[in-house]
Amino acid sequence: MTTTTLVGVDPEEAARASAELRRLVTEQRIVICSGSGGVGKTTTAAVLAMEAARAGRRAVVVTIDPAKRLADTLGLEGIGNTPHRIEGDWPGELSAVMLDTKRTFDDLVRRYSADPEQAERILSNRFYRNISGALSGTQEYMAMEKLYDLQADDSFDLVVVDTPPSRNALDFLEAPRRLTRFLDHRLYRVLTAPTRGVMRAVNVAAQAFVRSVSKVVGGEVFDDAISFFQAFDGMEQGFKHRAEQVLQLLDSPATAFVLVASPKRDTVEEARFFAEKLAEAGIGVAALIVNRMHPHFSEAMPEALRKRAQRFDGKDLGGLYRNLADFALVAHREEEHLAGLAEQVAPAPVVRVPLLRSDVHDLDGLGLIGDHLFGRTQEL
């Protein structure tokens, strides 16, 4: 397939960026794709995993995006919480997983329960059933659990993670620390105390708080919550140990973060925000991928193209130059938007993908994106 590259991009720079991206998918153990919504992040994650399969690796792509776009991108239905094998013309293997928060939580409860009876008490608790798939932060933490499980599975060489939109992805990174802080909190220790000792274990102000909560949510709901925390007693160390392992995994050289953006001003600002937060956490960006770049079609500046249009005013050629000038203006503004972001994530390479004629909805479309990401395009 013959496609076009973006005019105005240094070929040597583009080649270096594609080479670095190829190194990530052939050498890394984990690649985490982050960025704001609507920038092609899910598609990018699928392409990176597919490229690893083309290189002979056993790759799995995980999405925790509740929009469930991964199945559409891969042209599949029924992707679930366990790896689903995708057949294709590659020497390696490609699988996909759609995170099921509740099932992952259930599996974790069974793993850390002292015995089947404790697990059953928790799984059958009404409070647990209500929060296991809906509590704020649960999805992000369970995504980390799924990531950890898959990277520990000898069936896969590479795990590619498609995170939620960037500000939510910060919750994804912070989830293990939040869990550890909660399990160390005094209120948690109070709630896991034996039933008859709960009210004695807290001071008068806390007793008033408990009574107030009971009035708001109902005594039955509050009793379910107390029963849940008491049933959970003794499992803290398992959860805390796992959270610490996940944090070590995120800081490991085997894990690389890829920032995905589009050239629009608002999405560039989102990408800049996320890059800052990663830097604060001591995490570098391995590569910046910018999707849907408008082509220049010409290296001439917009002003020069408009002057040419005026010389041919009233003729077809004049209309053509006006269109070229409009495209050039959009393309130059996009480069201006990206300039600051590229400097911020330096020395990470920048890989540009042009705006395509149609949306990506199957493996052929993913392959076309892969051609641009990994330097297999031919300039017309």
Side-chain angles (χ1 to χ4, degrees):
M1 180 182 296
T2 301
T3 57
T4 58
T5 57
L6 290 167
V7 175
V9 177
D10 184 348
E12 292 186 1
E13 176 187 350
R16 287 195 298 270
S18 294
E20 176 60 17
L21 206 57
R22 180 174 295 280
R23 187 195 68 78
L24 293 181
V25 300
T26 56
E27 297 181 11
Q28 293 295 134
R29 182 71 176 122
I30 299 170
V31 173
I32 299 177
C33 296
S34 298
S36 59
V39 298
K41 178 166 49 64
T42 301
T43 300
T44 298
V47 170
L48 296 180
M50 188 172 74
E51 188 68 18
R54 292 190 185 283
R57 303 190 82 190
R58 299 166 300 170
V60 57
V61 57
V62 186
T63 181
I64 57 177
D65 186 344
K68 298 185 177 180
R69 288 189 292 267
L70 182 61
D72 294 335
T73 301
L74 296 174
L76 296 172
E77 294 182 359
I79 294 180
N81 202 49
T82 57
H84 180 103
R85 182 79 171 272
I86 300 168
E87 299 300 330
D89 59 344
W90 37 70
E93 299 176 3
L94 175 61
S95 300
V97 171
M98 176 75 72
L99 179 71
D100 184 324
T101 302
K102 187 179 185 310
R103 284 186 57 187
T104 304
F105 206 158
D106 290 350
D107 291 343
L108 211 57
V109 167
R110 294 187 181 96
R111 174 182 301 152
Y112 292 126
S113 294
D115 50 55
E117 288 74 20
Q118 183 186 25
E120 183 56 34
R121 286 198 304 274
I122 295 174
L123 297 177
S124 61
N125 180 274
R126 285 176 298 186
F127 179 77
Y128 170 78
R129 292 203 301 268
N130 288 332
I131 70 166
S132 56
L135 187 66
S136 175
T138 303
Q139 184 189 57
E140 287 78 12
Y141 181 74
M142 293 307 146
M144 301 302 283
E145 286 291 336
K146 179 59 66 175
L147 166 61
Y148 189 87
D149 280 343
L150 290 172
Q151 67 83 33
D153 189 340
D154 292 337
S155 301
F156 303 110
D157 303 314
L158 173 68
V159 181
V160 182
V161 182
D162 164 37
T163 66
S166 60
R167 292 181 188 263
N168 290 333
L170 298 178
D171 295 334
F172 172 80
L173 297 174
E174 184 63 20
R177 293 184 179 90
R178 284 205 310 272
L179 176 70
T180 301
R181 288 197 296 268
F182 173 71
L183 294 177
D184 286 334
H185 197 279
R186 179 172 177 266
L187 178 60
Y188 171 78
R189 294 196 297 271
V190 167
L191 292 175
T192 55
T195 303
R196 289 173 296 179
V198 170
M199 300 307 291
R200 291 200 302 270
V202 297
N203 57 30
V204 175
Q207 291 181 34
F209 169 75
V210 168
R211 286 194 295 269
S212 298
V213 171
S214 297
K215 290 178 181 178
V216 173
V217 303
E220 186 175 325
V221 173
F222 192 75
D223 288 343
D224 286 341
I226 293 294
S227 297
F228 163 72
F229 285 112
Q230 290 171 0
F232 196 81
D233 189 26
M235 297 170 59
E236 303 94 328
Q237 287 306 314
F239 274 81
K240 288 171 64 176
H241 178 66
R242 185 66 163 238
E244 292 167 358
Q245 290 179 311
V246 170
L247 287 172
Q248 292 175 6
L249 187 64
L250 290 178
D251 292 334
S252 168
T255 300
F257 284 80
V258 172
L259 190 55
V260 184
S262 76
K264 294 182 180 179
R265 184 185 299 275
D266 57 342
T267 58
V268 169
E269 288 303 316
E270 285 284 326
R272 181 176 289 112
F273 169 83
F274 191 66
E276 290 174 354
K277 293 302 179 181
L278 282 177
E280 290 175 5
I283 298 174
V285 176
L288 170 62
I289 296 176
V290 186
N291 287 318
R292 301 169 187 156
M293 296 284 293
H294 281 80
H296 290 254
F297 292 116
S298 170
E299 294 187 3
M301 297 296 290
E303 295 79 5
L305 292 171
R306 292 200 184 281
K307 289 181 179 179
R308 292 181 191 176
Q310 292 174 357
R311 284 190 301 177
F312 295 98
D313 193 26
K315 299 180 181 180
D316 291 342
L317 196 56
L320 175 61
Y321 274 119
R322 279 193 294 274
N323 288 337
L324 285 174
D326 290 341
F327 272 108
L329 180 61
V330 172
H332 277 85
R333 284 178 176 172
E334 290 178 347
E335 288 293 345
E336 290 175 357
H337 294 162
L338 289 174
L341 177 61
E343 293 173 0
Q344 184 174 356
V345 300
V350 181
V351 184
R352 295 168 171 82
V353 178
L355 185 68
L356 302 181
R357 296 179 180 178
S358 61
D359 291 336
V360 176
H361 58 272
D362 55 23
L363 294 180
D364 289 339
L366 291 179
L368 180 58
I369 297 290
D371 288 343
H372 288 289
L373 289 179
F374 297 98
R376 293 190 291 266
T377 57
Q378 296 179 14
E379 189 172 350
L380 294 177

